[in-house]
Amino acid sequence: MLEKRLKAITKGEKTRAGIVNCAKQLFYEHGYGSTSFSDIVDASGLYRGNIYHYFKTKDEILQAVIEQHLADFRGLMAQWDKEIADPKLELLAFIHMITGRQSELAEYGCPIGTLNTELGKDRRDLQQAARALFDLFRDWIAARLVEMGYRDEAASLALHLLGRAQGIAVITHVYQDAKLLQQETGQLEAWVNKL
Amino acid sequence: MLEKRLKAITKGEKTRAGIVNCAKQLFYEHGYGSTSFSDIVDASGLYRGNIYHYFKTKDEILQAVIEQHLADFRGLMAQWDKEIADPKLELLAFIHMITGRQSELAEYGCPIGTLNTELGKDRRDLQQAARALFDLFRDWIAARLVEMGYRDEAASLALHLLGRAQGIAVITHVYQDAKLLQQETGQLEAWVNKL
DNA sequence: GTCTATAATACGATAGAC
DNA sequence: GTCTATCGTATTATAGAC
């Protein structure tokens, strides 16, 4: 029992995390609707009943996937906040993240944008949860802009930056061309530098 | 027989057009994957076999829907070309189209962007056809920019404008807020005016 | 060209043994 | 917590009468 309390990750939690990570990747690559429960079963190497032991429905898996995305990005932002003092350089780090993931973006689009776009059409209940991913970036960007001296404009400037990034992701995905991403992120960097 | 040749639209063509228009709306509102064949049956008021008489598969319906979109937008562009002499004012008409459709965009996103995003994930064969919608706008915008004196930059500026429009559509859809669209299109208009 | 019945399969979800 | 078998439904598509 002591051992159990000391160990941060139990076996069950590890299994659960494996399911979530498999589903996260599948949902990203094929979309939520196009990923079947059996796809998750096959990719995870587990059995159907085993997965249903952790999640009552496929929708619940998506909820966990969204929370995992949130945790991932919060980790990234915490790292930026820790390592980079200048808020403008932090915003450039955000753009650098996009260029660093250019091949994935060209193949599957933006993980948070494509998810919200899919769910926004006829699963608004779930899209409301996925929207938190946009809020996370919007608020973090706005906070950096406040640090830079922008006050009233911070919120709208943050959405502008986020929108530009989304537009770049869509174009890159549609044309599956990372070169387009590089051209456009260059202009977005210039926009940030002029702030 | 003479009568048949003189009539531009036969009964069969009218039925076919009805199917395509129903499917176009359903695909836009709910996505291609989430729209079942039965949904199209119900919305069209026809019978299953009747629809299968015109289209062998659901994918074929999508092909026809994409061609309908192409025809719709070609019609719009032809109208702009006819009525507006100044190429810069034509680009502003393009942006004005976006603001004019703000409520649909907030509810369902951009019809061509969301379609390409969905198909780009695991139906690349169909996305290749849907990409023609992006090409249509890209080429039309680039042609206007050439008229304005831009030569080498026309292609990349066209993709920039298209990307910005897509980004605005995504943000508007995610937050289901037409006000955001108005703010951002205002900035995009300013960008065009500065050209 | 219009209509109905149904095939064949994939889906999410459940039951219950171990 | 691990595994298998199966239910009920929805799916795309076909067959064939009218």
Side-chain angles (χ1 to χ4, degrees):
Chain A
M1 215 230 201
L2 181 65
E3 191 191 6
K4 213 172 182 181
R5 270 195 290 131
L6 284 176
K7 260 205 283 186
I9 300 166
T10 66
K11 189 182 176 188
E13 282 167 349
K14 199 173 159 184
T15 305
R16 201 193 119 105
I19 296 165
V20 172
N21 277 321
C22 273
K24 189 178 76 167
Q25 194 64 21
L26 288 169
F27 292 165
Y28 176 40
E29 291 180 8
H30 305 119
Y32 177 65
S34 296
T35 301
S36 74
F37 201 93
S38 296
D39 291 336
I40 302 172
V41 170
D42 295 344
S44 66
L46 300 169
Y47 294 88
R48 296 185 77 77
N50 200 353
I51 298 177
Y52 273 110
H53 175 73
Y54 292 94
F55 301 98
K56 277 196 277 290
T57 65
K58 196 183 144 191
D59 285 1
E60 272 191 19
I61 301 179
L62 178 59
Q63 297 272 8
V65 165
I66 291 169
E67 280 162 27
Q68 185 60 52
H69 274 300
L70 283 168
D72 292 346
F73 288 123
R74 283 204 191 97
L76 255 179
M77 289 169 184
Q79 201 179 339
W80 291 334
D81 290 344
K82 192 183 168 190
E83 294 177 355
I84 307 169
D86 184 355
K88 181 180 276 189
L89 291 177
E90 285 199 82
L91 295 182
L92 292 173
F94 165 73
I95 296 175
H96 196 254
M97 171 188 71
I98 296 171
T99 53
R101 296 183 179 184
Q102 58 184 272
S103 62
E104 304 164 48
L105 289 169
E107 202 157 5
Y108 308 114
C110 170
I112 79 166
T114 57
L115 181 62
N116 272 272
T117 293
E118 179 186 356
L119 300 176
K121 282 216 183 270
D122 65 347
R123 294 304 308 273
R124 275 201 204 158
D125 50 335
L126 292 170
Q127 193 262 327
Q128 213 166 11
R131 186 186 296 167
L133 289 159
F134 271 85
D135 292 336
L136 182 67
F137 279 105
R138 183 197 58 186
D139 294 344
W140 180 84
I141 293 169
R144 302 290 80 70
L145 288 165
V146 168
E147 280 187 63
M148 289 167 70
Y150 294 94
R151 259 194 160 281
D152 304 334
E153 302 161 271
S156 75
L157 284 171
L159 277 171
H160 178 83
L161 177 53
L162 211 48
R164 291 274 292 268
Q166 284 300 314
I168 292 169
V170 170
I171 293 288
T172 302
H173 185 212
V174 167
Y175 283 104
Q176 267 148 17
D177 186 346
K179 228 176 185 175
L180 295 176
L181 183 138
Q182 288 174 333
Q183 283 177 18
E184 289 292 318
T185 48
Q187 294 187 43
L188 197 51
E189 277 184 19
W191 181 83
V192 168
N193 276 319
K194 275 206 292 185
L195 281 171
Chain B
M1 214 227 203
L2 181 65
E3 191 192 5
K4 211 172 182 181
R5 270 194 291 131
L6 285 177
K7 260 206 283 186
I9 299 166
T10 67
K11 188 180 177 187
E13 282 166 350
K14 201 174 161 184
T15 304
R16 201 192 118 106
I19 296 165
V20 172
N21 277 321
C22 274
K24 190 178 75 166
Q25 196 63 22
L26 288 170
F27 293 166
Y28 176 40
E29 292 180 8
H30 306 120
Y32 177 65
S34 296
T35 300
S36 74
F37 201 92
S38 297
D39 291 336
I40 302 171
V41 170
D42 295 343
S44 66
L46 300 169
Y47 295 88
R48 300 185 76 76
N50 200 352
I51 298 178
Y52 273 112
H53 174 75
Y54 292 94
F55 301 98
K56 277 195 278 291
T57 65
K58 197 184 141 189
D59 285 1
E60 272 191 20
I61 300 179
L62 179 60
Q63 297 272 8
V65 165
I66 290 169
E67 280 163 28
Q68 185 60 53
H69 275 299
L70 283 168
D72 293 346
F73 288 123
R74 283 203 191 99
L76 255 179
M77 290 169 184
Q79 201 180 338
W80 291 334
D81 291 344
K82 193 184 168 188
E83 294 177 354
I84 307 169
D86 184 356
K88 182 181 277 191
L89 291 176
E90 285 200 80
L91 294 183
L92 292 174
F94 166 74
I95 296 175
H96 195 255
M97 172 188 70
I98 296 170
T99 52
R101 296 184 180 186
Q102 56 184 273
S103 61
E104 305 164 46
L105 289 169
E107 202 157 8
Y108 309 114
C110 170
I112 78 166
T114 57
L115 181 63
N116 272 270
T117 294
E118 178 186 357
L119 300 175
K121 282 215 181 273
D122 65 348
R123 295 303 308 273
R124 275 202 205 157
D125 51 334
L126 292 170
Q127 193 263 327
Q128 212 166 12
R131 187 185 296 167
L133 289 159
F134 271 85
D135 293 337
L136 182 67
F137 279 105
R138 183 197 58 186
D139 294 345
W140 181 84
I141 293 168
R144 302 290 79 72
L145 288 165
V146 168
E147 280 187 62
M148 289 167 69
Y150 294 94
R151 260 194 159 283
D152 303 335
E153 302 160 272
S156 75
L157 284 171
L159 277 171
H160 179 82
L161 177 52
L162 211 47
R164 292 274 291 269
Q166 284 299 314
I168 292 169
V170 170
I171 293 288
T172 302
H173 186 212
V174 167
Y175 283 105
Q176 268 150 16
D177 185 347
K179 228 176 186 177
L180 294 176
L181 184 137
Q182 287 175 333
Q183 283 177 16
E184 288 294 317
T185 48
Q187 295 187 42
L188 197 52
E189 277 184 18
W191 181 83
V192 167
N193 276 318
K194 275 206 295 185
L195 282 171

